[in-house]
Amino acid sequence: VHLVESGGDLVQPGGSLRLSCRASGFTFENYAMAWLRQVEGKGLERVSAIYRDGSTTYADFAKGRFTISRDNAKNMIFLQMNNLEYKDTAVYHCATTAGVGPAGTFRSRGQGTQVTVSL
């Protein structure tokens, strides 16, 4: 399992970013994918997930502002983030249920991409 994120940047409050994740090493369409984030000094938290059937879930803080999507033909997922706030500053990781570990958990993740919201 190999996941590579991109798209992180410095953005002003109220701005937008689109994160991308390219996956390889597994049959992408067969697995759920997710975005996790880690604020400095805190643990990982799930931002959003997208499942094999295209259904999606969002953390409360992401609802109405973030949109997750997947492109099975390109083995990629995306996270469109709008109306960004200071508290969205974090390292964002792409994750998948593929790989070794408890079934159904997002047990494999990439190195992450830094999102910084600041003036």
Side-chain angles (χ1 to χ4, degrees), residues 100-115:
V100 177
T105 62
F106 290 101
R107 53 203 176 202
S108 302
R109 66 176 185 267
Q111 292 293 322
T113 186
Q114 176 71 49
V115 172

PDB file of all heavy atoms in Angstrom, residues 100-115:
ATOM      1  N   VAL A 100      -2.327  -4.292   6.218  1.00  0.00           N
ATOM      2  CA  VAL A 100      -2.300  -5.224   7.350  1.00  0.00           C
ATOM      3  C   VAL A 100      -2.867  -4.551   8.592  1.00  0.00           C
ATOM      4  O   VAL A 100      -2.504  -3.417   8.917  1.00  0.00           O
ATOM      5  CB  VAL A 100      -0.859  -5.696   7.632  1.00  0.00           C
ATOM      6  CG1 VAL A 100      -0.830  -6.607   8.851  1.00  0.00           C
ATOM      7  CG2 VAL A 100      -0.287  -6.396   6.411  1.00  0.00           C
ATOM      8  N   GLY A 101      -3.747  -5.254   9.266  1.00  0.00           N
ATOM      9  CA  GLY A 101      -4.314  -4.709  10.487  1.00  0.00           C
ATOM     10  C   GLY A 101      -5.757  -5.139  10.652  1.00  0.00           C
ATOM     11  O   GLY A 101      -6.276  -5.905   9.848  1.00  0.00           O
ATOM     12  N   PRO A 102      -6.424  -4.665  11.698  1.00  0.00           N
ATOM     13  CA  PRO A 102      -7.817  -5.048  11.940  1.00  0.00           C
ATOM     14  C   PRO A 102      -8.711  -4.688  10.761  1.00  0.00           C
ATOM     15  O   PRO A 102      -8.637  -3.581  10.238  1.00  0.00           O
ATOM     16  CB  PRO A 102      -8.189  -4.244  13.182  1.00  0.00           C
ATOM     17  CG  PRO A 102      -6.891  -3.918  13.827  1.00  0.00           C
ATOM     18  CD  PRO A 102      -5.909  -3.753  12.711  1.00  0.00           C
ATOM     19  N   ALA A 103      -9.548  -5.631  10.389  1.00  0.00           N
ATOM     20  CA  ALA A 103     -10.423  -5.413   9.248  1.00  0.00           C
ATOM     21  C   ALA A 103     -11.333  -4.222   9.478  1.00  0.00           C
ATOM     22  O   ALA A 103     -11.835  -4.000  10.579  1.00  0.00           O
ATOM     23  CB  ALA A 103     -11.264  -6.672   9.000  1.00  0.00           C
ATOM     24  N   GLY A 104     -11.535  -3.429   8.429  1.00  0.00           N
ATOM     25  CA  GLY A 104     -12.464  -2.316   8.501  1.00  0.00           C
ATOM     26  C   GLY A 104     -11.889  -1.046   9.080  1.00  0.00           C
ATOM     27  O   GLY A 104     -12.579  -0.026   9.114  1.00  0.00           O
ATOM     28  N   THR A 105     -10.659  -1.075   9.507  1.00  0.00           N
ATOM     29  CA  THR A 105     -10.042   0.144  10.055  1.00  0.00           C
ATOM     30  C   THR A 105      -9.188   0.811   8.984  1.00  0.00           C
ATOM     31  O   THR A 105      -8.685   0.157   8.071  1.00  0.00           O
ATOM     32  CB  THR A 105      -9.173  -0.170  11.274  1.00  0.00           C
ATOM     33  OG1 THR A 105      -8.110  -1.040  10.877  1.00  0.00           O
ATOM     34  CG2 THR A 105      -9.984  -0.831  12.364  1.00  0.00           C
ATOM     35  N   PHE A 106      -9.019   2.123   9.129  1.00  0.00           N
ATOM     36  CA  PHE A 106      -8.159   2.864   8.203  1.00  0.00           C
ATOM     37  C   PHE A 106      -6.725   2.714   8.684  1.00  0.00           C
ATOM     38  O   PHE A 106      -6.185   3.579   9.380  1.00  0.00           O
ATOM     39  CB  PHE A 106      -8.611   4.307   8.104  1.00  0.00           C
ATOM     40  CG  PHE A 106      -9.923   4.444   7.397  1.00  0.00           C
ATOM     41  CD1 PHE A 106     -11.100   4.634   8.105  1.00  0.00           C
ATOM     42  CD2 PHE A 106      -9.999   4.347   6.016  1.00  0.00           C
ATOM     43  CE1 PHE A 106     -12.321   4.726   7.449  1.00  0.00           C
ATOM     44  CE2 PHE A 106     -11.211   4.445   5.350  1.00  0.00           C
ATOM     45  CZ  PHE A 106     -12.377   4.628   6.065  1.00  0.00           C
ATOM     46  N   ARG A 107      -6.117   1.588   8.321  1.00  0.00           N
ATOM     47  CA  ARG A 107      -4.877   1.133   8.921  1.00  0.00           C
ATOM     48  C   ARG A 107      -3.633   1.516   8.155  1.00  0.00           C
ATOM     49  O   ARG A 107      -2.532   1.304   8.642  1.00  0.00           O
ATOM     50  CB  ARG A 107      -4.934  -0.389   9.088  1.00  0.00           C
ATOM     51  CG  ARG A 107      -5.291  -1.107   7.798  1.00  0.00           C
ATOM     52  CD  ARG A 107      -5.866  -2.474   8.102  1.00  0.00           C
ATOM     53  NE  ARG A 107      -6.296  -3.162   6.900  1.00  0.00           N
ATOM     54  CZ  ARG A 107      -7.185  -4.131   6.913  1.00  0.00           C
ATOM     55  NH1 ARG A 107      -7.720  -4.517   8.048  1.00  0.00           N
ATOM     56  NH2 ARG A 107      -7.533  -4.715   5.801  1.00  0.00           N
ATOM     57  N   SER A 108      -3.790   2.037   6.937  1.00  0.00           N
ATOM     58  CA  SER A 108      -2.634   2.469   6.158  1.00  0.00           C
ATOM     59  C   SER A 108      -2.818   3.940   5.823  1.00  0.00           C
ATOM     60  O   SER A 108      -3.899   4.342   5.387  1.00  0.00           O
ATOM     61  CB  SER A 108      -2.525   1.655   4.868  1.00  0.00           C
ATOM     62  OG  SER A 108      -2.424   0.279   5.141  1.00  0.00           O
ATOM     63  N   ARG A 109      -1.769   4.714   6.012  1.00  0.00           N
ATOM     64  CA  ARG A 109      -1.893   6.126   5.668  1.00  0.00           C
ATOM     65  C   ARG A 109      -0.604   6.652   5.072  1.00  0.00           C
ATOM     66  O   ARG A 109       0.466   6.055   5.255  1.00  0.00           O
ATOM     67  CB  ARG A 109      -2.296   6.967   6.872  1.00  0.00           C
ATOM     68  CG  ARG A 109      -1.284   7.046   7.989  1.00  0.00           C
ATOM     69  CD  ARG A 109      -1.786   7.985   9.077  1.00  0.00           C
ATOM     70  NE  ARG A 109      -0.802   8.193  10.121  1.00  0.00           N
ATOM     71  CZ  ARG A 109      -0.741   7.479  11.227  1.00  0.00           C
ATOM     72  NH1 ARG A 109      -1.614   6.525  11.447  1.00  0.00           N
ATOM     73  NH2 ARG A 109       0.182   7.744  12.130  1.00  0.00           N
ATOM     74  N   GLY A 110      -0.701   7.758   4.362  1.00  0.00           N
ATOM     75  CA  GLY A 110       0.459   8.372   3.737  1.00  0.00           C
ATOM     76  C   GLY A 110       1.204   9.277   4.699  1.00  0.00           C
ATOM     77  O   GLY A 110       0.851   9.404   5.870  1.00  0.00           O
ATOM     78  N   GLN A 111       2.236   9.937   4.184  1.00  0.00           N
ATOM     79  CA  GLN A 111       3.073  10.814   5.002  1.00  0.00           C
ATOM     80  C   GLN A 111       2.363  12.110   5.371  1.00  0.00           C
ATOM     81  O   GLN A 111       2.714  12.746   6.357  1.00  0.00           O
ATOM     82  CB  GLN A 111       4.369  11.135   4.255  1.00  0.00           C
ATOM     83  CG  GLN A 111       5.289   9.940   4.075  1.00  0.00           C
ATOM     84  CD  GLN A 111       5.850   9.450   5.383  1.00  0.00           C
ATOM     85  OE1 GLN A 111       6.185  10.234   6.280  1.00  0.00           O
ATOM     86  NE2 GLN A 111       5.960   8.136   5.533  1.00  0.00           N
ATOM     87  N   GLY A 112       1.419  12.507   4.568  1.00  0.00           N
ATOM     88  CA  GLY A 112       0.647  13.708   4.889  1.00  0.00           C
ATOM     89  C   GLY A 112       1.074  14.935   4.114  1.00  0.00           C
ATOM     90  O   GLY A 112       2.174  14.991   3.557  1.00  0.00           O
ATOM     91  N   THR A 113       0.182  15.925   4.108  1.00  0.00           N
ATOM     92  CA  THR A 113       0.461  17.211   3.485  1.00  0.00           C
ATOM     93  C   THR A 113       0.011  18.302   4.453  1.00  0.00           C
ATOM     94  O   THR A 113      -1.060  18.202   5.068  1.00  0.00           O
ATOM     95  CB  THR A 113      -0.246  17.309   2.119  1.00  0.00           C
ATOM     96  OG1 THR A 113       0.146  18.513   1.454  1.00  0.00           O
ATOM     97  CG2 THR A 113      -1.760  17.268   2.237  1.00  0.00           C
ATOM     98  N   GLN A 114       0.837  19.328   4.607  1.00  0.00           N
ATOM     99  CA  GLN A 114       0.590  20.364   5.601  1.00  0.00           C
ATOM    100  C   GLN A 114      -0.385  21.407   5.072  1.00  0.00           C
ATOM    101  O   GLN A 114      -0.171  21.977   3.994  1.00  0.00           O
ATOM    102  CB  GLN A 114       1.896  21.048   5.996  1.00  0.00           C
ATOM    103  CG  GLN A 114       1.738  22.208   6.962  1.00  0.00           C
ATOM    104  CD  GLN A 114       1.342  21.764   8.354  1.00  0.00           C
ATOM    105  OE1 GLN A 114       1.954  20.856   8.903  1.00  0.00           O
ATOM    106  NE2 GLN A 114       0.333  22.416   8.939  1.00  0.00           N
ATOM    107  N   VAL A 115      -1.410  21.660   5.853  1.00  0.00           N
ATOM    108  CA  VAL A 115      -2.342  22.753   5.580  1.00  0.00           C
ATOM    109  C   VAL A 115      -2.195  23.760   6.711  1.00  0.00           C
ATOM    110  O   VAL A 115      -2.348  23.411   7.884  1.00  0.00           O
ATOM    111  CB  VAL A 115      -3.795  22.248   5.500  1.00  0.00           C
ATOM    112  CG1 VAL A 115      -4.756  23.434   5.406  1.00  0.00           C
ATOM    113  CG2 VAL A 115      -3.962  21.322   4.307  1.00  0.00           C
TER     114      VAL A 115
END
